[in-house]
């Protein structure tokens, strides 16, 4: 995506991390997951999200996993890489690694276990944006949803160059999505989440892309693509 007003149209799955029984990276299986995403019509593919169990992946394994995914995707769709970590230093390192490896976007929630006040959240995304030229997806989560209000998200999208997308989660994600869509004026694109729950309702609100795991990707992708073709019934 080259412009803030661009929106993805379709599924943006977050892949699981494929491991062998001994706990090492299962490269062949990871490549098959990429192929499955492409077969289901994914418009972007992501890793190091919650569905990837990013918090269990060793820092030393991240570069290799990223290379495997980018190699298998081979430029067919954008790849977004999650950079959420316990601290800003790790997140900025992960962002730089992702850009150097050839990723198209990064996705970041607030640092694990450090739920800032609003000025701290702004400072986090400002530092992150300075560390990379890649577009940023704000990853809202149930843990951050009360802090990342629509007003704060919109403020950051206006003031921080690079913030182009938000994935809305949490108990009030439907209302948050509706508020963001009504007020965004093209400055930020809203990605649906919540594991595909209320997918049809979010489509009716105007969401065009969804980020879920891969466990129902064939069904989610078929529903979204059919709706976006105008076959709403």
């Amino acid at each position: 995506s080259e412009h803030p007003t661009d929106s993805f149209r379709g599924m943006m799955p977050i892949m699981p991390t494929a491991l062998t029984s001994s706990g090492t990276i299962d490269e062949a299986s990871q490549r098959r997951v990429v192929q499955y995403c492409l077969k289901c019509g994914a418009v972007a593919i992501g890793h190091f999200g919650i569905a990837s169990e990013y918090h269990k992946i060793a820092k030393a394994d991240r570069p290799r996993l990223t290379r495997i995914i980018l190699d298998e995707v081979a430029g067919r769709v954008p790849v977004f890489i999650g950079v959420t970590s316990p601290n800003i230093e790790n997140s900025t390192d992960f962002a730089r690694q992702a850009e150097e490896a050839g990723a198209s976007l990064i996705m970041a929630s607030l640092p694990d276990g450090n739920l800032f006040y609003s000025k701290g959240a702004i400072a986090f995304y400002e530092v992150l944006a300075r560390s990379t030229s890649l577009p940023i997806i704000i990853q809202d989560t149930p843990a951050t949803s009360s802090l990342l209000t629509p007003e704060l998200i919109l403020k950051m999208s206006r003031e921080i160059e690079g913030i182009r997308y938000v994935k809305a989660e949490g108990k009030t994600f439907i209302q948050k999505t509706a508020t963001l869509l009504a007020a965004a004026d093209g400055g930020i694109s809203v990605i649906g989440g919540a594991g595909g729950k209320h997918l049809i309702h979010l489509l009716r609100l105007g969401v065009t892309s969804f980020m879920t795991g891969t466990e129902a990707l064939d069904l989610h992708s078929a529903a979204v693509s059919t709706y976006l073709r105008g076959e709403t019934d």
Side-chain angles (χ1 to χ4, degrees):
S1 177
E2 297 298 326
H3 193 271
T5 55
D6 284 353
S7 296
F8 288 99
R9 294 179 63 82
M11 295 305 301
M12 305 171 66
I14 298 175
M15 294 186 293
T17 304
L19 300 175
T20 66
S21 57
S22 63
T24 59
I25 295 171
D26 185 339
E27 179 172 341
S29 292
Q30 194 70 60
R31 289 179 180 273
R32 283 197 297 273
V33 178
V34 171
Q35 290 298 333
Y36 174 71
C37 292
L38 293 169
K39 181 181 176 183
C40 289
V43 297
I45 294 175
H47 202 70
F48 304 103
I50 293 172
S52 316
E53 298 182 288
Y54 72 88
H55 55 288
K56 299 180 183 178
I57 300 171
K59 285 174 70 173
D61 285 337
R62 286 182 67 101
R64 182 178 170 218
L65 260 174
T66 303
R67 283 196 301 271
I68 289 167
I69 292 160
L70 285 161
D71 180 65
E72 192 64 29
V73 171
R76 284 171 283 189
V77 297
V79 172
F80 60 96
I81 295 293
V83 300
T84 304
S85 79
N87 59 67
I88 183 63
E89 292 81 10
N90 282 347
S91 291
T92 55
D93 284 347
F94 295 159
R96 284 189 285 265
Q97 288 173 18
E99 183 165 9
E100 289 168 7
S104 299
L105 310 94
I106 59 167
M107 179 173 70
S109 187
L110 294 174
D112 298 335
N114 292 294
L115 299 188
F116 293 112
Y117 52 99
S118 58
K119 285 185 178 178
I122 293 169
F124 169 78
Y125 283 107
E126 284 176 339
V127 171
L128 185 64
R130 288 197 295 269
S131 73
T132 178
S133 66
L134 296 181
I136 297 170
I137 304 166
I138 294 177
Q139 182 185 15
D140 198 6
T141 69
T144 65
S145 60
S146 59
L147 172 60
L148 294 178
T149 62
E151 294 74 24
L152 182 59
I153 291 167
L154 290 167
K155 175 181 171 66
M156 291 194 294
S157 74
R158 290 190 297 266
E159 296 179 1
I160 303 173
E161 188 174 356
I163 290 182
R164 309 233 187 127
Y165 305 88
V166 59
K167 179 192 180 190
E169 296 272 13
K171 280 188 283 191
T172 60
F173 75 94
I174 296 176
Q175 183 56 51
K176 181 179 284 189
T177 296
T179 302
L180 286 167
L181 287 169
D185 194 27
I188 191 166
S189 179
V190 184
I191 301 167
K197 289 182 287 188
H198 301 286
L199 185 143
I200 299 297
H201 186 58
L202 293 180
L203 283 164
R204 288 173 178 155
L205 287 175
V207 171
T208 63
S209 60
F210 291 83
M211 197 181 289
T212 66
T214 57
E215 59 274 4
L217 183 57
D218 52 349
L219 176 63
H220 290 160
S221 188
V224 172
S225 60
T226 302
Y227 188 95
L228 293 177
R229 282 200 304 270
E231 299 173 36
T232 56
D233 287 348

